[in-house]
Amino acid sequence: MTVRIVIADDEDLVRAGLRVILDTEPGLTVVGEAADGAEVVPVVRRERPDIVLMDVRMPALDGIQATRRLVAMTEPPKVLVVTTFENDDHVYDALRAGADGFLLKRTRPDELVRAVKLVAAGETLLFPAAIRTLAGRRPTAPVPGIDRLTDREGDVLRLMARGLNNGEIAAELTLGQETVKTHVGNVLAKLGVRDRTQAVIAAYESGFVSPR
């Protein structure tokens, strides 16, 4: 199956460079571009991409607001933020808005391709150190559902915050991977979030996991 991609960035050169890298990779194709966040939703509705590569800093409508609009769609695409600075608060806000992960614009072409394929396959790009740094700047606040987690679900969430995948969590807790998958699903459901990144952000924002 070919992964359909839309690129949203206000710099023509960046869009052109990303298109060249992605279009030369078998199984990936760029089906549309947007020069501003305000253009993204119409392009997505027309082209029905699997993934949107989203710049966060755009003039008329930034990538954070654009991400919120995409996530609110009936069948939203995956959103992968492409940014210049990993410790930019805009990145954190985009993740909170529903982005599935982020990449730096200086990322190597092979890493970009790998990231797109991972997100297309349903994975999230979680960078624990960067999220921890960004979360450490924010005050904690109650998060609905965090108090409903069982002890084991809490253990799983803490390991998710460290960036461990299901297999690594299973090894750490001496559990089967299917059991871990069930616990992860329960965590997402109780917190009312769509993916692991959102769950980790909720863990930090509630104080359940300390960024320090």
Side-chain angles (χ1 to χ4, degrees):
M1 184 181 69
T2 299
V3 178
R4 297 168 59 82
I5 304 161
V6 163
I7 301 170
D9 196 293
D10 61 327
E11 296 185 26
D12 295 344
L13 190 59
V14 171
R15 295 199 311 277
L18 292 172
R19 178 183 278 273
V20 168
I21 293 168
L22 297 169
D23 271 344
T24 55
E25 179 69 20
L28 304 181
T29 182
V30 176
V31 296
E33 297 182 13
D36 187 80
E39 299 176 12
V40 175
V41 173
V43 173
V44 166
R45 283 178 175 157
R46 183 179 69 246
E47 302 296 343
R48 310 290 294 179
D50 301 295
I51 295 179
V52 174
L53 297 185
M54 182 79 76
D55 186 22
V56 285
R57 294 176 180 269
M58 291 182 281
L61 185 75
D62 64 31
I64 301 164
Q65 294 297 328
T67 296
R68 289 196 181 102
R69 293 184 183 185
L70 292 181
V71 171
M73 295 175 68
T74 303
E75 296 182 3
K78 302 286 186 179
V79 177
L80 189 53
V81 169
V82 183
T83 182
T84 304
F85 306 107
E86 65 181 307
N87 290 328
D88 187 344
D89 283 336
H90 284 73
V91 173
Y92 188 81
D93 289 335
L95 294 173
R96 290 183 75 245
D100 297 277
F102 71 92
L103 284 171
L104 297 178
K105 290 187 176 179
R106 63 175 181 270
T107 296
R108 297 198 315 265
D110 61 315
E111 292 176 340
L112 169 65
V113 168
R114 178 176 176 273
V116 169
K117 289 182 176 180
L118 280 173
V119 171
E123 301 290 336
T124 54
L125 287 183
L126 184 60
F127 295 87
I131 293 179
R132 184 167 61 248
T133 299
L134 293 167
R137 303 174 186 171
R138 309 291 179 103
T140 59
V143 171
I146 202 84
D147 57 344
R148 296 174 51 219
L149 299 179
T150 65
D151 290 342
R152 183 57 83 194
E153 289 164 358
D155 293 339
V156 169
L157 179 55
R158 291 185 186 93
L159 294 175
M160 287 166 59
R162 284 170 46 188
L164 274 63
N165 60 35
N166 285 1
E168 292 165 337
I169 293 173
E172 184 83 10
L173 298 178
T174 320
L175 297 172
Q177 289 200 43
E178 284 303 314
T179 301
V180 171
K181 184 177 179 180
T182 298
H183 285 317
V184 170
N186 290 341
V187 169
L188 301 188
K190 289 181 179 180
L191 298 182
V193 296
R194 65 189 292 234
D195 58 36
R196 299 169 82 98
T197 301
Q198 306 299 305
V200 169
I201 288 174
Y204 283 125
E205 289 192 338
S206 64
F208 185 81
V209 174
S210 173
R212 296 174 181 82

